[in-house]
Amino acid sequence: ELTNAQKKALADVKRDMRSETVMQRLIQGDVGSGKTVIAILALLAAAENGYQGALMVPTEVLARQHFESITKMFETSGIDKKVVLITGSMTAKEKRIAYEKTASHEADIIIGTHALIQEKVIYDKLALVITDEQHRFGVGQRELLSEKGHTPHVLVMSATPIPRTLAIILYGDLDISVIDELPAGRQVIKNCVVDTSYRPKAYAFMEQQIRQGRQVYVICPMVEESETMEGENVIQYAQMLRSQFAPSVRISYLHGKMKAADKQKVMDDFSEGLIDVLVSTTVVEVGVNVPNATVMMVENAERFGLAQLHQLRGRVGRGVYQSYCIFMTSSKKKETMQRLEVLNKSNDGFYIANEDLKLRGP
């Protein structure tokens, strides 16, 4: 059963899609409020009317997750619409088959990363274009996707509009639907901002949660030196953690430089509860859904943007268990504390985006 807020957002989208004008709508809904379901229903509406719909997401992990859950959903509900996945790491043969299905309209719904906007991808009757986590895409990338169709309807979704998005709303380019209630059973996340002296306490708390059968994310900071350091950094941190936790605690890691198949395997293992602690870079920032995870600890929180931190926090609190977010910072700067305090005080993406606008300007 959809929440009332979801029903209202869906009605807005359907009304726009039936109208004489092209939809330009933002669905603003906090992390975990159920935006994806609205996207799927909108794509289905396009497909039922003989058109194609495309959903563009920022990471391959998320694209595959959406592809699998939508395919499964259609199978269980007996919906005979064809869903296709297009991502950069697919083999040349897989891509060719996906392109053919898309061009011949054998595919009704196309899901993918920015691989969807490459020249080789030809759509048949593209009527709806959705970008999820719109803060991760440039304006140009969204436009390219729109140009693939004959002025398709455009839907963008975000949990924390960044100042740029707020500015777009102010100047009237985007209509807005707000999903302002969480599905039944979702818990409010408890936050704390601490300095590095709390690390032992944090680890003890995490271990206690693991003993209760829960799972934990640890987000490693960005590494200044170079991109290649990213992997080493995460691997070293995971090794260090192994020395801090009981030997029975299963620790694994994830970073952007890993092969897509390896990333997918780690995510699947984590989802199935075969990993207790996942040490990761921000690859898990968007959309990853593991209801059993209850602790999100972010190292060097001062190095991340507010929208990003809010997204990371949204990876926990997705199930029935009380969840916690620990923002760890080594910075003593007043501005840093001010920024982190915004997150500490509020779980509301709009409030956070507004404060971000005040702190950074548009």
Side-chain angles (χ1 to χ4, degrees), residues 129-176:
V129 162
I130 305 180
T131 28
D132 192 10
E133 309 303 351
Q134 86 96 22
H135 67 283
R136 295 289 295 269
F137 292 103
V139 178
Q141 285 178 313
R142 289 213 312 271
E143 271 171 13
L144 276 172
L145 187 51
S146 293
E147 284 161 12
K148 288 281 190 185
H150 185 67
T151 57
H153 292 298
V154 175
L155 185 62
V156 296
M157 306 198 292
S158 178
T160 342
I162 58 171
R164 183 181 76 209
T165 317
L166 289 182
I168 295 174
I169 295 165
L170 288 175
Y171 296 115
D173 292 11
L174 282 175
D175 296 311
I176 183 161

Side-chain angles (χ1 to χ4, degrees), residues 43-215:
L43 290 164
L44 194 53
E48 295 282 351
N49 284 281
Y51 292 96
Q52 286 178 317
L55 171 62
M56 180 162 75
V57 299
T59 66
E60 296 208 354
V61 167
L62 188 55
R64 195 164 290 278
Q65 183 178 302
H66 280 333
F67 171 71
E68 283 167 5
S69 63
I70 294 172
T71 309
K72 209 177 334 182
M73 220 179 269
F74 284 7
E75 276 169 12
T76 40
S77 312
I79 296 167
D80 63 340
K81 296 294 171 204
K82 183 100 178 95
V83 189
V84 163
L85 177 69
I86 298 180
T87 65
S89 74
M90 283 162 61
T91 64
K93 187 186 172 192
E94 288 171 328
K95 281 182 190 158
R96 198 178 64 246
I97 294 169
Y99 296 159
E100 280 164 10
K101 285 181 176 168
T102 304
S104 67
H105 203 143
E106 191 190 323
D108 303 291
I109 294 171
I110 300 92
I111 293 171
T113 54
H114 51 268
L116 292 182
I117 54 183
Q118 282 160 355
E119 283 160 33
K120 293 195 183 89
V121 189
I122 315 270
Y123 297 86
D124 179 39
K125 286 162 79 179
L126 185 61
L128 171 65
V129 162
I130 305 180
T131 28
D132 192 10
E133 309 303 351
Q134 86 96 22
H135 67 283
R136 295 289 295 269
F137 292 103
V139 178
Q141 285 178 313
R142 289 213 312 271
E143 271 171 13
L144 276 172
L145 187 51
S146 293
E147 284 161 12
K148 288 281 190 185
H150 185 67
T151 57
H153 292 298
V154 175
L155 185 62
V156 296
M157 306 198 292
S158 178
T160 342
I162 58 171
R164 183 181 76 209
T165 317
L166 289 182
I168 295 174
I169 295 165
L170 288 175
Y171 296 115
D173 292 11
L174 282 175
D175 296 311
I176 183 161
S177 300
V178 180
I179 302 182
D180 52 7
E181 58 183 301
L182 290 181
R186 285 277 162 88
Q187 303 287 329
V188 175
I189 298 167
K190 293 185 175 171
N191 306 301
C192 63
V193 176
V194 294
D195 63 36
T196 48
S197 68
Y198 279 84
R199 197 175 274 122
K201 264 192 182 149
Y203 288 163
F205 177 70
M206 283 146 69
E207 194 152 351
Q208 180 196 330
Q209 287 284 309
I210 291 164
R211 277 201 300 273
Q212 290 170 17
R214 305 288 80 79
Q215 289 161 282

Side-chain angles (χ1 to χ4, degrees), residues 270-291:
F270 191 64
S271 297
E272 285 161 32
L274 304 173
I275 294 171
D276 301 310
V277 181
L278 181 59
V279 179
S280 173
T281 54
T282 53
V283 209
V284 298
E285 176 188 339
V286 288
V288 173
N289 190 20
V290 180

Side-chain angles (χ1 to χ4, degrees), residues 223 225-233 255 257:
V223 184
E225 289 86 283
S226 72
E227 280 294 292
T228 44
M229 288 280 295
E230 180 186 302
E232 289 169 39
N233 192 35
H255 59 80
K257 293 278 168 280

